Structure formats: C-alpha cells, structure tokens
Amino acid sequence: MTTVDIKKIFENPKEFKNKKITVKGWISSSRGNKHIRFIIMNDGSSVQSLQVICKNRKGFNFSLLDQIHTGAAVEVKGIIILTPKAQQPFELEALSFKLLRDADLDFPIQKQGINLETLREIPHVRHRTNILRSTMLIRSTLAKEVHKYFDDNGYLYFNAPIITSNDGEGAGETFVVNDDNSKDPFFGTKKATLGVTGQLHAESYAIGFKKVYTFAPTFRAEHSNTKKHAAEFWMIEPEVAFYELKDVIKLADNMLKCVIKNTIKKHPAEFKYLQENVDSNLLERLNHFLKTKLSIIDYRDAISELAKVKEQFENKNIEFGLDLATEHERFISEKLFNGPVAVINFPKKFKAFYMHQNDDNETVAAFDLLVPGIGELIGGSQREVRYDKLLQRALEVGISQEELQWYLDLRRFGDSGSSGFGVGFERLVMYVTGIDNIRDVIPYPRTSGNIKM
Amino acid sequence: MTTVDIKKIFENPKEFKNKKITVKGWISSSRGNKHIRFIIMNDGSSVQSLQVICKNRKGFNFSLLDQIHTGAAVEVKGIIILTPKAQQPFELEALSFKLLRDADLDFPIQKQGINLETLREIPHVRHRTNILRSTMLIRSTLAKEVHKYFDDNGYLYFNAPIITSNDGEGAGETFVVNDDNSKDPFFGTKKATLGVTGQLHAESYAIGFKKVYTFAPTFRAEHSNTKKHAAEFWMIEPEVAFYELKDVIKLADNMLKCVIKNTIKKHPAEFKYLQENVDSNLLERLNHFLKTKLSIIDYRDAISELAKVKEQFENKNIEFGLDLATEHERFISEKLFNGPVAVINFPKKFKAFYMHQNDDNETVAAFDLLVPGIGELIGGSQREVRYDKLLQRALEVGISQEELQWYLDLRRFGDSGSSGFGVGFERLVMYVTGIDNIRDVIPYPRTSGNIKM
C-alpha cells in the first residue's frame, strides 16, 4: 500500500471514498477522551491537515496515543470516510497507528500564531507552521511556473557564472571570494566576486540562442537593514535578442500574469489561508492585477504628475533626475493608474552603463514595472548595441575597457541588440503571498549580521 | 507577421508548406553566384540550420548579400518550400532580406570544427558552434526535465542558502566570503563560506514537507585540475522523509531514466549531431542504460570481485577500506554488470558523518550509483536519525556540537529518518552528451586559476 499525499485527498475526496490508504506525516494536535481521539496531522503537501479518528477498540493500540507529542512523525493506515455535513469534507478512520518518531517537549512549534519575528530565530523548524508552510509551497510553485513559462516559450535556461571577475552593475557592493586553505589566490591575480547579476553573460548567450533566461542566486553586500533587502536572493533574468524596449515590457507583463495565474490555480487552500491570516485583500489585489492591462508612462510625464502632488511625499524634490522612491512608485501605480504600470525612459545618470541611450542624450531605454502595494517589481532595459556609445558610457562610470572587452566585442559579432529584465524572485513571492518581510519568504535568509545555520 | 523559431519548422515542415514567415538569426555560411545564393542561418532554437534561397530578381537587394559576413544577424521574410527530394526537407525562399547587424572579420567562429580547447578561450562566443549549441540545448532541457520530474512527483523546490556558516561535508575545501568595502565582517563573528551542499538544510525541510529537492550552484575550492572537477557546479539534491536506502536508490534510478528519456525525445537533431561528431556510441549507451534494470551490490562483495582481477588496476590494493577510484567503478559497472549499478554499505571512514551507521559498526547506509563509461554519477545515503550516534560521529570527524546543534535538534523534533542523494548536474550533462570535459558543458567554467569573464 503506497503512501498517499494528503493534498491528493483534498483535491478529489470522492476518489478515495471508503478506500484504505496509508499516510505519513506530523501531528499538529490531538484531542478527545479515552474512547475516541481526533488527531490532526499534516504531511507538507498542503496547508490543509487531515483529521484522523482513532477509536478505542480491540486490536488498536489506543494507549499509545497518550504518549505522543506535537511534532511527532506517525504513520496511519485507515479508511477515508466522506463527511459532507461536517466542517471538513472527509476524515481518516484509523485502522492502525504507528509512532515513527516522537518530538521532545521543547519542540518550538506547539501551536499556530507564533509571530514571524520569533519564527525567524528558528528557520530550521518554522516551516512547520501554516503561515510558512503556505508561503514556501507557493514559493516552490512560483519557481516551477517560471521555468515552465520559459520552456513553453522556447527559452534556453542559461546558468551564468556565480563567481565572476565582472561587476555587472558597476555597483561595487559585492562579496569577495577567497580560497580558505591556500595562500595563493584560487583564481590567480583577478579579484573574484559573487555575481550581482547574470545579465552580461546572458547577453552573450542571447546572441546565438535568441531567447535565454537565468534563474539563480545573486548577491549584494548591502548593509541596509530593510524589509525588502537580503544579501542573498534569487533572480530571474530573461534576455532576448532582437527585442526592443516595448517587446520586453510585454514579455514581463505576460510572464508575471501567466505565472501568478497558474500559481493561484494550484494553491486554493494556501491562498485561502494567507487571505484569512496575512492579507485580507490578497486575492482581490492579485485578481485585479491579472485582469488589468499594463499601462506605460514616460518618466518625464510621471515626474510632472508627481510634481502636482509633491506635498504628500517625504521627498518633495520632484524634478527630472529624481530616482523614484517607493512612495513615488506606489503613488504612480495606486493613484495614477490603479494597476500595473511601466515607467520608461529614465535619466541615464542613475541607470546602468549598458542601457540603450535615447536620442535626447539624457535618458535611456529602461523600464521599471510598478505594481500597487509594492512599487517596483521588475527592472529592465533595451541594451546599448552601438559599440562606441557603450564604451564611452562604461568609461564614464569608471569601468575599464580591458575588463569589459569581451562584452564590447559581442557588439562586433552580430549583436543586433537585445533586451531583458530582472525580477527579484523573493520580491515576487512577497507580492504574491502578501508577506511583507523578505526574511519570511526565503528559507534561510542572509542579511547584514545574520547567517543563522 | 511574428517570428518563427527554426526548430518549429523542422518539427513539422508540412505545417509551414508555402507559408510566408519571418525568421531572425545568424549567418553561418553563404555560397552561390550572381544569380542565386544559398545562405545557411541558425537561430539557436535547434542545432539544425535553415537554408535560405535568394534569387537575383527585381525588388530584391541582392548586392547586399556580398557585404555580409559569417556571424551577421539577419531578418529574412520568405516562403517555406518543401523539397522532399533534396538533402534538407525544406528551404526558405527569401522575399526580403535585412541585415540587422554585421559581424567583423575577426569573429572567431568562421567555421565548425574548432577544437574544444581553443573554444574554451572564448566562452562568450563558443556556443555559436554546433557542438556547444547541441550541448547547451541539451543541458537546458535536462535542467527543465529535472524540475518537471520533481514537480510531477509532488516535491517542494527548496532553496538552500548559498552563503553558510556550516560546512556540510566537513571537507574543508571551501571558499570564504567577505564584504569588499567594509572593515567589519558582513556576517559578524561567524566565518561565512560558499555552500558545498544544500543537504543539511534540505533535511530540515524534508521534516515537514516530506519530499523536497534543491537545484542550485555549489562550490569547492579544489585545486585539482581534472576533466571532472570544477570550482563551481550545479547540484541536484532530493531529500525524502520516511525513505530508507532502498527507496532513495529507486528514486535515483527512476529520476535518471525519466529525465534522460524525455531529453532524448526532445532533441533528435542534437543527439544525431553529437553521435556523429563526439561519441559514435552515444545513443546506444544511453538506450542501454534506459532499458537496463539497476543492479545493487554490497561494497564488500564488490571488493571481493575487484580483488579477483586486481592486477589490471593501477591501484591494486583492493581491500575493505578502499575508496573506489574511477577505474574500479568502471570495472564494476562495465565488466561485472554491463549496466547501472548501486554499490551500497561503504566503510564509514571515508563517508560523511551524517550517514546511517549500520549494525556492523564499520559501514554506513550509503550508495554510489555507477554507470558504464563514467563511473560514479550519484552519491547518496540514508541519514543517521539516532541523536547520540550522529553526535558521536560528528565529534569524531571534528565538527563542533555548537555549530551543529540546530541539525542535531531535528532528530529531537519528529525526524523519523530521511534519505537523499546528490547529482552533480554537469556530470549528468557529460554523461548524456558524451562530452568528456566539464569545462565544455558549463557556459563559463570556473576552475583553479581560471575565471574568464
């Protein structure tokens, strides 16, 4: 008799009606008396738990139930009984009950409702609460749906190097990598750092494979201690040859909507849980996003609009050159458009060197995709394909030509231009789950001063 | 008129018969005369290239074709003509031809057949050869099929931390991570290293989610300069609660066969290319693997068998305690079994501390899955679930209890045992493509002294 995932029973209880099955999982509660026990167990396949009924009858080791603690691993064989009139649509009437491994009394997850901050101290067990369980199940599905979306659309999954001698953004906030055991530097004279983006390398593969994407960890040695920043996070970066700015904005919008729609469909119970316990507006917000056409606004127009209402912002200095803060982004997406919006053509001075320089000589063909409730979810651009302009801008921001020559050379070897964007995966998980701290959507978060386990 | 991927036409030429289409890609050759030109172009969707026919007639910019070089990016609109009697099943008769971006004369990929060693010097363009193109297309599909396999079987995709304060294997060959810009250590007093495995963290999630897997980059600061070792490589690590050794061996066998079978099905052209140009035995070898039942042999029995023929090995010291080398592994899988084989129950002294200790007090419940032509492809084990035995072994190999307490505590919190394994993803790609150097199956390889781009 093979073990059944509890999720499968919830998906189609009738299929299991009166069937004898085996389940394995962990106990989250037990109540009852010396005649009957109601045991709630979960196996991680769903946030929904199975109710097991144990009756004190001959041949059933009923006294064992008194010795079992919350968190214990058990195996139950029994029969699924449909209970259409009860709160739960079915229950498992136990024929046999096996304690595989008990949990000590100091198991930290004795009940639901522990606050998220406390749970951050115990990342090795916090996923055994319903809130983390829901979040991590959705996270996993989002990741798989991302791979599925790009596969369905003919993209090559490209693995950029993690350890690199290039600093893609020219941002400087990088981690340095050294060999622990040797006096000789492992990679010779070059400084090795952890990649902040896979984009430059992905561009090289877009030239030849046309459509590629990365999905990998990236790193920033940012000391800022905010809800949105982590030192280690996963990033999705598609890069498409022959695409211009408008094409890649459309890709970003399509991808987001497809991935979110499919994820919602696969997790009715988890979204119900988060809606009831984290963000009562969650599904309304996501459904509004799904059905709302993406708007596009030029950065200059956005600045004009923001300037009209500048009194309401903390940063009131609204003029060309402003790097939009979250308060501005949220105003644009929530108040101006009440939906997703791409702001395009940003001033070049605060954008990366590789972005296509517009004819006005002041802006670049970049976009930020903003969504209500969050602000920026995606940033991307059309890449500068003109060798001289690219080199000039790289030198302006202090990148040496020697380091960048391989990348510059792509432009001499049939690179007719490509476009791409980056999605911080954890930010996407936050948007989709309503969880508002990045530390709670990644299993073992790494932030300044924090490297638990 | 949307752009068509060349692969789509090869998959079903009849569907495109006499249809007007647009293709975008890169030129790999051009021949002909002043009346007609045959241009071969590839767009990276397949190793197969499209033959484009250009006729010198009114309204067609024929003279342009004289100025275009190998590697140039072009856009062609034309009509698909089926040519059942010709070598290629169809061709594109060009109606218009647009040069999107030419390539300079020093574009390194002027023809096929450049040797792999030379290509390693130019990782930013080498994928524009047929051999790297085939390899990277298969690599991408293998990765997606891995995700698909685990998704179909209800696994949670788990992202272990990359930067860690734990050294999972106790191997010591780790990279150390430091903040570049700050005198203060980013993570406080703890030494931060790049993970060599996600397993310990994955175990914590298996307890609660039952079935999980990682698929992420891992790092070893190994100075050894072999064809099989890289400093940075991707690893797949499933971990399943309630599984014992025999269960996880079955999982490894199933997963490999499913993933390889589906990948072969999706890449007939790429496997044909590799068969003809890299390994004439490739498909026979893979098909033999697919149809051969996995054998299982105890390490002690394997040693007895090896001892009988010890004269043929470089290392003739065949006795209990020998850590099998590739020559031994290949003998076992090729000569003893002529097929895939799992060697089980290895001496504990050269295996990791977390493996289940067998009753003989000498061996652990580990397995290595060996395949003909390669040797070890997968290594895994049942984990030690007994707190005291786990702690004792950790101390024996020099791991401090303090560092490991969180992991030890899993055993007190309902961990009834789990099993898992690790597949080096690049080694899998090597096995499936027949490419025999790890530097040629990963886009930008990192090895001792080598960090190009």
Side-chain angles (χ1 to χ4, degrees), chain B residues 14-34:
Chain B
K14 282 179 187 159
E15 191 192 313
F16 291 92
K17 182 182 170 181
N18 299 334
K19 282 219 175 122
K20 194 175 159 184
I21 62 162
T22 302
V23 289
K24 292 176 184 171
W26 294 269
I27 288 183
S28 43
S29 80
S30 168
R31 65 190 172 80
N33 53 40
K34 60 185 177 179

Short mmCIF file of all heavy atoms in Angstrom, two decimals, chain B residues 14-34:
data_model
loop_
_atom_site.label_atom_id
_atom_site.label_comp_id
_atom_site.label_asym_id
_atom_site.label_seq_id
_atom_site.Cartn_x
_atom_site.Cartn_y
_atom_site.Cartn_z
N LYS B 14 5.45 20.31 -42.88
CA LYS B 14 4.21 20.38 -43.67
C LYS B 14 3.30 21.51 -43.22
O LYS B 14 2.58 22.11 -44.02
CB LYS B 14 3.46 19.05 -43.59
CG LYS B 14 4.07 17.99 -44.50
CD LYS B 14 3.34 16.67 -44.40
CE LYS B 14 4.10 15.61 -45.20
NZ LYS B 14 3.76 14.25 -44.74
N GLU B 15 3.34 21.76 -41.91
CA GLU B 15 2.50 22.83 -41.37
C GLU B 15 2.87 24.20 -41.97
O GLU B 15 2.05 25.11 -42.01
CB GLU B 15 2.69 22.86 -39.85
CG GLU B 15 1.70 23.74 -39.10
CD GLU B 15 2.17 23.92 -37.65
OE1 GLU B 15 2.54 22.92 -37.01
OE2 GLU B 15 2.17 25.07 -37.19
N PHE B 16 4.12 24.32 -42.40
CA PHE B 16 4.61 25.60 -42.92
C PHE B 16 4.65 25.64 -44.45
O PHE B 16 5.07 26.64 -45.02
CB PHE B 16 6.01 25.89 -42.35
CG PHE B 16 6.00 26.18 -40.88
CD1 PHE B 16 6.17 25.17 -39.94
CD2 PHE B 16 5.79 27.48 -40.42
CE1 PHE B 16 6.14 25.44 -38.59
CE2 PHE B 16 5.78 27.76 -39.06
CZ PHE B 16 5.95 26.74 -38.14
N LYS B 17 4.21 24.59 -45.08
CA LYS B 17 4.29 24.47 -46.55
C LYS B 17 3.68 25.69 -47.24
O LYS B 17 2.51 26.03 -47.02
CB LYS B 17 3.57 23.20 -46.98
CG LYS B 17 3.63 22.94 -48.47
CD LYS B 17 2.85 21.67 -48.86
CE LYS B 17 2.74 21.59 -50.37
NZ LYS B 17 1.97 20.41 -50.80
N ASN B 18 4.50 26.35 -48.06
CA ASN B 18 4.07 27.52 -48.85
C ASN B 18 3.59 28.69 -47.99
O ASN B 18 2.94 29.60 -48.49
CB ASN B 18 2.97 27.14 -49.85
CG ASN B 18 3.47 26.07 -50.84
OD1 ASN B 18 4.67 25.98 -51.08
ND2 ASN B 18 2.56 25.28 -51.38
N LYS B 19 3.94 28.66 -46.71
CA LYS B 19 3.54 29.77 -45.83
C LYS B 19 4.59 30.86 -45.85
O LYS B 19 5.79 30.60 -45.95
CB LYS B 19 3.37 29.26 -44.39
CG LYS B 19 2.06 28.52 -44.20
CD LYS B 19 1.44 28.83 -42.84
CE LYS B 19 0.07 28.18 -42.70
NZ LYS B 19 -0.02 27.27 -41.57
N LYS B 20 4.12 32.07 -45.70
CA LYS B 20 5.03 33.21 -45.60
C LYS B 20 5.41 33.40 -44.13
O LYS B 20 4.53 33.50 -43.27
CB LYS B 20 4.31 34.46 -46.13
CG LYS B 20 5.24 35.62 -46.40
CD LYS B 20 4.50 36.80 -47.04
CE LYS B 20 5.29 38.08 -46.83
NZ LYS B 20 4.59 39.27 -47.34
N ILE B 21 6.70 33.41 -43.85
CA ILE B 21 7.15 33.55 -42.46
C ILE B 21 8.32 34.53 -42.36
O ILE B 21 8.91 34.92 -43.36
CB ILE B 21 7.60 32.19 -41.86
CG1 ILE B 21 8.80 31.64 -42.65
CG2 ILE B 21 6.47 31.18 -41.82
CD1 ILE B 21 9.57 30.58 -41.89
N THR B 22 8.60 34.91 -41.12
CA THR B 22 9.79 35.71 -40.82
C THR B 22 10.70 34.90 -39.91
O THR B 22 10.22 34.29 -38.94
CB THR B 22 9.40 37.00 -40.07
OG1 THR B 22 8.48 37.74 -40.87
CG2 THR B 22 10.63 37.87 -39.80
N VAL B 23 11.99 34.87 -40.21
CA VAL B 23 12.95 34.28 -39.27
C VAL B 23 14.05 35.30 -38.98
O VAL B 23 14.39 36.14 -39.84
CB VAL B 23 13.59 32.97 -39.81
CG1 VAL B 23 12.59 31.83 -39.83
CG2 VAL B 23 14.18 33.18 -41.18
N LYS B 24 14.57 35.22 -37.76
CA LYS B 24 15.71 36.05 -37.38
C LYS B 24 16.80 35.13 -36.83
O LYS B 24 16.48 34.21 -36.08
CB LYS B 24 15.31 37.07 -36.32
CG LYS B 24 14.36 38.14 -36.84
CD LYS B 24 13.92 39.07 -35.72
CE LYS B 24 12.89 40.07 -36.24
NZ LYS B 24 12.28 40.84 -35.14
N GLY B 25 18.02 35.39 -37.21
CA GLY B 25 19.09 34.55 -36.72
C GLY B 25 20.43 35.03 -37.23
O GLY B 25 20.58 36.21 -37.58
N TRP B 26 21.39 34.10 -37.24
CA TRP B 26 22.77 34.46 -37.58
C TRP B 26 23.28 33.59 -38.72
O TRP B 26 23.01 32.38 -38.76
CB TRP B 26 23.65 34.32 -36.35
CG TRP B 26 23.27 35.30 -35.29
CD1 TRP B 26 23.79 36.55 -35.12
CD2 TRP B 26 22.27 35.15 -34.27
NE1 TRP B 26 23.17 37.18 -34.07
CE2 TRP B 26 22.24 36.34 -33.53
CE3 TRP B 26 21.38 34.13 -33.93
CZ2 TRP B 26 21.36 36.54 -32.46
CZ3 TRP B 26 20.51 34.32 -32.86
CH2 TRP B 26 20.51 35.51 -32.14
N ILE B 27 24.03 34.21 -39.58
CA ILE B 27 24.51 33.52 -40.78
C ILE B 27 25.72 32.66 -40.44
O ILE B 27 26.67 33.14 -39.81
CB ILE B 27 24.87 34.56 -41.86
CG1 ILE B 27 23.59 35.16 -42.41
CG2 ILE B 27 25.71 33.93 -42.96
CD1 ILE B 27 23.81 36.14 -43.51
N SER B 28 25.68 31.40 -40.88
CA SER B 28 26.88 30.59 -40.69
C SER B 28 27.60 30.31 -42.01
O SER B 28 28.79 29.98 -41.98
CB SER B 28 26.56 29.28 -39.95
OG SER B 28 25.39 28.70 -40.41
N SER B 29 26.92 30.44 -43.14
CA SER B 29 27.66 30.36 -44.41
C SER B 29 26.81 30.90 -45.54
O SER B 29 25.59 31.01 -45.44
CB SER B 29 28.11 28.92 -44.69
OG SER B 29 27.02 28.19 -45.23
N SER B 30 27.48 31.21 -46.61
CA SER B 30 26.81 31.76 -47.79
C SER B 30 27.60 31.32 -49.02
O SER B 30 28.82 31.45 -49.05
CB SER B 30 26.80 33.29 -47.67
OG SER B 30 26.41 33.87 -48.90
N ARG B 31 26.91 30.76 -50.00
CA ARG B 31 27.60 30.39 -51.24
C ARG B 31 26.66 30.64 -52.40
O ARG B 31 25.45 30.84 -52.22
CB ARG B 31 28.09 28.93 -51.18
CG ARG B 31 26.96 27.94 -51.11
CD ARG B 31 27.40 26.50 -50.81
NE ARG B 31 26.21 25.68 -50.58
CZ ARG B 31 25.45 25.18 -51.56
NH1 ARG B 31 25.75 25.38 -52.82
NH2 ARG B 31 24.36 24.47 -51.26
N GLY B 32 27.20 30.60 -53.61
CA GLY B 32 26.36 30.82 -54.77
C GLY B 32 27.05 31.72 -55.77
O GLY B 32 28.27 31.90 -55.74
N ASN B 33 26.25 32.32 -56.63
CA ASN B 33 26.81 33.16 -57.68
C ASN B 33 25.99 34.44 -57.79
O ASN B 33 25.24 34.78 -56.87
CB ASN B 33 26.85 32.38 -59.00
CG ASN B 33 25.48 31.79 -59.33
OD1 ASN B 33 24.45 32.45 -59.12
ND2 ASN B 33 25.45 30.56 -59.81
N LYS B 34 26.12 35.13 -58.91
CA LYS B 34 25.42 36.41 -59.00
C LYS B 34 23.95 36.27 -59.37
O LYS B 34 23.22 37.25 -59.48
CB LYS B 34 26.15 37.35 -59.98
CG LYS B 34 26.27 36.83 -61.39
CD LYS B 34 27.11 37.75 -62.25
CE LYS B 34 27.28 37.16 -63.66
NZ LYS B 34 28.07 38.02 -64.54
#
